[in-house]
Amino acid sequence: GVEFIKSLHAQRDRLMPLLLPGMDDYFMPLLPGELVAVVARTHNGKSWFMNQWSKRMIKHLQAKGRDEAIVWVDTEMTADSLGTSAIARGAGLRMADVLYGKAGLDMAALMNAAKQVAEVPLYTIATRLGSKDGGAEVHLTNIQNGIRDLVRGQVDGKSHKVAAIFVDYLQ
């Protein structure tokens, strides 16, 4: 217990509050390495909840000046769909507007939104559409390799400390 308290004190800046209104006073902050499971029936908002939680975490990290990344692992959606959806939202559009080429689609606004998305320290591990091998499968080894590459600086040339990993895998 004493060793844990010393470790906790040394890593106090890495604690993560739950960031849910009315809940932070009830739940302890998350410690590095802790696991939280979000369990609910199909179509009850698990993915939405985790997406909102990850956004709150990113804002918290930025507000505290913590240069850390969030990893989003998705076995349901492709990286292409996730990226396109984020860009569409950033441009004030619906995904369908982008997919169906809404009349007057503003590519400059989409490019501006893409730049803003790229500045967010959120890294996705998911399959890719149209890749020669059909997209690497999202299994534990590939997830581990992706996170290892991010930490080692092999993704964007910068070594990242990971604040949280979200895994969306049940439909």
Side-chain angles (χ1 to χ4, degrees):
V2 171
E3 290 304 315
F4 177 73
I5 291 170
K6 288 178 183 177
S7 172
L8 175 63
H9 185 71
Q11 299 185 70
R12 188 157 312 280
D13 64 325
R14 300 235 30 233
L15 297 178
M16 182 63 72
L18 202 54
L19 303 169
L20 295 173
M23 302 297 272
D24 274 329
D25 291 335
Y26 184 75
F27 288 102
M28 300 287 288
L30 302 173
L31 304 169
E34 280 194 314
L35 173 69
V36 175
V38 177
V39 181
R41 293 180 59 194
T42 299
H43 300 293
N44 274 257
K46 295 178 299 291
S47 298
W48 176 86
F49 173 80
M50 290 193 318
N51 183 277
Q52 296 303 307
W53 194 8
S54 70
K55 288 178 182 178
R56 280 193 216 81
M57 280 190 175
I58 289 168
K59 287 181 182 176
H60 174 79
L61 292 170
Q62 291 170 334
K64 296 289 186 182
R66 289 172 57 179
D67 187 20
E68 298 173 54
I70 301 288
V71 175
W72 183 273
V73 179
D74 206 307
T75 63
E76 299 177 5
M77 304 285 292
T78 64
D80 309 88
S81 294
L82 293 166
T84 301
S85 179
I87 291 168
R89 275 191 315 275
L93 299 169
R94 297 176 308 128
M95 180 81 153
D97 297 336
V98 175
L99 292 177
Y100 295 119
K102 178 182 171 186
L105 196 61
D106 184 354
M107 286 306 293
L110 289 172
M111 291 303 293
N112 188 37
K115 288 177 186 174
Q116 291 175 357
V117 168
E119 292 173 359
V120 175
L122 177 68
Y123 294 84
T124 302
I125 297 174
T127 59
R128 294 288 317 271
L129 290 174
S131 60
K132 291 179 185 177
D133 63 356
E137 292 181 38
V138 181
H139 50 67
L140 290 177
T141 301
N142 284 342
I143 294 168
Q144 180 183 23
N145 290 340
I147 294 169
R148 183 181 297 133
D149 288 350
L150 182 65
V151 169
R152 290 181 178 169
Q154 296 171 329
V155 172
D156 59 4
K158 179 183 174 191
S159 176
H160 295 274
K161 186 182 284 187
V162 177
I165 302 167
F166 287 83
V167 181
D168 191 5
Y169 75 100
L170 289 175
Q171 178 60 28

